[in-house]
Amino acid sequence: MKLFFTKFHAFTKRCCNISLLIFCLISSVTFATSIVKEKVPYLKAYEFQGFGDTIHGVRKIKDVVIYEDAMFYSSFPSVVKRPDGQVLVAFRRAPDRKIFSEKGTGHTDPNSYLVMVRSDDGETFTKEPELIYAHPYGGSQDPCLLQLRDGTLLCASYGWAFVRPDGLPNLKKPVFQSGDATFLGGYLVRSANGGKTWQAPIYPPHIEPEVNFNAYGTPVPAYNRGALYEGKSGRIFWAVAASDASKKTSVHLITSNDKGLTWNYSSPIAVDSKVAFNETSVYETPKGDILAFLRTANFDDQACIARSTDGGKTFSKWESMGFQGHPLNALRLPDNRVLLTYGYRHKPFGIRARILNAECTDFATAPEFVLRDDGGSGDIGYTWPVQLDKKRVMVVYYFNKDNGTRHIAGTILEIK
């Protein structure tokens, strides 16, 4: 770049009239463009956006629309690849309230259901979603898929009830409310046949740090949005949130030793007097460390991490990873590196990622890749990556362009 400015200065110095100066400026732009095309060393990873460009072994192949229907607000996806190669994408679908001439659509809705589409190639998906679960007492949110090694599928979610005004004063307090919705807490459903049918909900236990009651007047069952993880031992790790009296949330670890049928409290992951934590994904490293990738509030949207070196019995003090983005999700690549993906809800709105080493210790220095920066607003993200084959990964998320229809999309990457 220094050479470029030296040549530009010398060139413009010889321009003695306006026409020559215009010619000079056009020539300089042409020269700068040629530098970018040559991919000189100063080109930084966060400039990776173009199709076909390869930086640090990552090449963007294409963006795909997985599901879009202007009648619906589709959001908060997760994805797994079945043993037979079929790709399943689950998401939350609710009416776009504009079809009822309402002003806008929110993230809670009484007609919000968990649905799923399928693909044999990771690029073209079934048009009509299959129903995973419709909560009998309210709307459901954020289906989080986990495929166990034996092929069993778990789908974690949580619900909201829409209590009429005459009932609200009679609810056992405190309750957590979002607009017209009263929180119900978390649940899981299981499938033993690849998502063709789903068993009755499993309700995890209430954890003591949670102070709220649900709309039924019972303590809120454990809940969260984020990736669960099946460890090497077969134990399932789930980072769940809890609200204190000030409505600030902390994150805690619960575990299951029987494929998600029952759950036990393990330990606090991240608790702070000022910073709130929620929407956390769990990951186990090859060494056996348990990592929690944390979304924050009251902390400038800083992505944070906490680590356990004793199987989740205790976690070290949480720390910022030095960049913004949420929520985060981790995928182990074939060479044990980790693809960390997240939404970027600051201008330019989009989807970003980093590749960390096997133990995820280089988060402060790992280059950031911009997968997309064409989002129409901050109402995007909630990424979830899946390995399509040895070299290709799909990152699934919800998206909008020009602040239009919220839809489920994906970006396919080649990672060497």
Side-chain angles (χ1 to χ4, degrees):
M1 183 59 78
K2 183 176 180 181
L3 176 62
F4 161 62
F5 281 112
T6 301
K7 290 186 177 181
F8 174 77
H9 179 70
F11 190 27
T12 54
K13 193 173 181 181
R14 293 196 294 269
C15 297
C16 58
N17 56 48
I18 294 176
S19 61
L20 281 176
L21 181 58
I22 293 173
F23 174 78
C24 180
L25 290 171
I26 293 173
S27 299
S28 67
V29 171
T30 302
F31 184 59
T33 302
S34 69
I35 290 177
V36 173
K37 287 182 177 179
E38 290 173 4
K39 297 186 179 74
V40 292
Y42 69 83
L43 185 63
K44 295 183 179 179
Y46 59 73
E47 293 173 321
F48 162 72
Q49 295 172 41
F51 296 96
D53 289 342
T54 301
I55 300 177
H56 295 283
V58 180
R59 182 172 71 90
K60 178 176 177 178
I61 298 174
K62 64 190 303 185
D63 297 322
V64 297
V65 174
I66 294 171
Y67 177 81
E68 181 175 17
D69 187 327
M71 299 287 284
F72 294 99
Y73 186 116
S74 302
S75 52
F76 313 125
S78 62
V79 59
V80 297
K81 181 184 174 184
R82 296 288 297 158
D84 64 2
Q86 191 173 66
V87 177
L88 310 182
V89 176
F91 55 97
R92 169 262 198 199
R93 191 179 78 162
D96 188 319
R97 306 305 293 190
K98 292 193 294 292
I99 66 175
F100 304 128
S101 301
E102 298 179 20
K103 292 182 179 179
T105 303
H107 285 182
T108 57
D109 194 284
N111 298 109
S112 175
Y113 308 134
L114 310 183
V115 297
M116 180 178 68
V117 291
R118 300 172 184 264
S119 173
D120 291 327
D121 60 8
E123 297 188 26
T124 57
F125 288 80
T126 49
K127 300 298 182 184
E128 186 60 30
E130 305 167 35
L131 179 66
I132 296 176
Y133 188 68
H135 201 292
Y137 302 122
S140 289
Q141 292 290 117
D142 301 56
C144 298
L145 290 174
L146 173 66
Q147 181 168 249
L148 305 183
R149 282 190 286 273
D150 68 357
T152 299
L153 290 174
L154 297 183
C155 183
S157 181
Y158 54 91
W160 296 90
F162 288 74
V163 181
R164 294 178 179 178
D166 62 320
L168 290 175
N170 304 318
L171 295 179
K172 190 171 184 179
K173 306 296 189 302
V175 295
F176 178 60
Q177 289 188 276
S178 176
D180 296 331
T182 302
F183 195 52
L184 289 173
Y187 67 90
L188 306 98
V189 290
R190 300 171 84 249
S191 174
N193 57 9
K196 295 177 182 178
T197 59
W198 296 85
Q199 300 164 8
I202 299 165
Y203 292 94
H206 163 79
I207 64 172
E208 289 303 321
E210 172 65 58
V211 301
N212 289 321
F213 295 91
N214 61 19
Y216 316 131
T218 59
V220 166
Y223 68 95
N224 202 15
R225 199 279 177 184
L228 296 77
Y229 198 88
E230 183 184 24
K232 288 179 289 188
S233 67
R235 175 175 292 180
I236 302 173
F237 301 96
W238 188 12
V240 298
S243 295
D244 61 25
S246 65
K247 304 296 185 183
K248 180 176 57 60
T249 50
S250 54
V251 172
H252 304 258
L253 182 69
I254 64 174
T255 62
S256 174
N257 291 314
D258 56 7
K259 302 184 185 301
L261 294 173
T262 61
W263 296 85
N264 297 292
Y265 183 85
S266 181
S267 62
I269 295 175
V271 182
D272 191 81
S273 59
K274 296 180 179 179
V275 180
F277 303 94
N278 51 51
E279 295 185 335
T280 296
S281 289
V282 187
Y283 177 76
E284 184 183 56
T285 72
K287 182 181 175 182
D289 287 359
I290 308 301
L291 305 182
F293 294 101
L294 302 145
R295 176 182 176 176
T296 62
N298 308 323
F299 197 51
D300 193 33
D301 194 28
Q302 290 290 303
C304 289
I305 189 173
R307 182 182 298 264
S308 172
T309 59
D310 57 10
K313 296 177 182 178
T314 60
F315 280 81
S316 60
K317 170 70 176 177
W318 60 270
E319 59 180 314
S320 170
M321 290 194 282
F323 58 88
Q324 293 176 307
H326 72 264
L328 303 111
N329 205 310
L331 171 70
R332 182 179 296 183
L333 298 172
D335 62 1
N336 280 343
R337 290 179 300 163
V338 175
L339 176 66
L340 187 68
T341 62
Y342 46 96
Y344 190 73
R345 293 183 160 192
H346 312 271
K347 293 184 178 180
F349 306 116
I351 307 298
R352 302 191 175 195
R354 296 168 189 258
I355 295 181
L356 310 183
N357 61 27
E359 294 299 316
C360 301
T361 57
D362 61 343
F363 53 79
T365 58
E368 181 175 75
F369 303 97
V370 178
L371 307 188
R372 297 187 70 164
D373 65 356
D374 58 337
S377 71
D379 191 21
I380 58 171
Y382 285 72
T383 63
W384 206 289
V386 66
Q387 193 85 39
L388 295 179
D389 52 44
K390 290 183 179 180
K391 290 186 177 180
R392 294 187 308 142
V393 168
M394 169 179 275
V395 182
V396 171
Y397 45 87
Y398 85 101
F399 211 67
N400 79 80
K401 300 192 74 171
D402 301 319
N403 206 23
T405 301
R406 274 52 173 174
H407 60 277
I408 308 302
T411 296
I412 299 176
L413 305 173
E414 181 183 68
I415 302 178
K416 297 180 179 180

